Amino acid sequence: MADKDQLIEIFEDTKRWYEEEPKLTEAVKQSVMQTKVYMEEDRPALWEIPESQSTISLP
């Protein structure tokens, strides 16, 4: 198992990668905009979520 410093380094490397790669940057923005957070008691059944909300497409 990786130690704390290794995990931080991996996180920072990944963050740097998506910030420098335009397609990844756009994908992250789209993901954040389309993400909905549900409280456990308010969580809809899977069949109530339109398929269009479960995926994004990249140009």
Side-chain angles (χ1 to χ4, degrees):
M1 174 130 211
D3 68 12
K4 182 179 177 181
D5 290 336
Q6 288 174 316
L7 294 175
I8 291 170
E9 183 178 340
I10 291 168
F11 171 81
E12 289 174 345
D13 182 58
T14 302
K15 185 174 182 277
R16 199 169 29 256
W17 183 36
Y18 82 73
E19 288 174 339
E20 293 173 358
E21 178 60 45
K23 284 189 177 185
L24 287 175
T25 301
E26 185 59 30
V28 169
K29 285 179 186 178
Q30 289 292 322
S31 178
V32 168
M33 289 188 320
Q34 296 179 15
T35 297
K36 292 184 180 182
V37 177
Y38 295 97
M39 299 302 290
E40 186 173 357
E41 60 275 4
D42 297 330
R43 186 180 63 195
L46 290 178
W47 56 86
E48 295 176 8
I49 301 173
E51 186 176 328
S52 62
Q53 291 183 359
S54 63
T55 61
I56 64 168
S57 57
L58 298 176

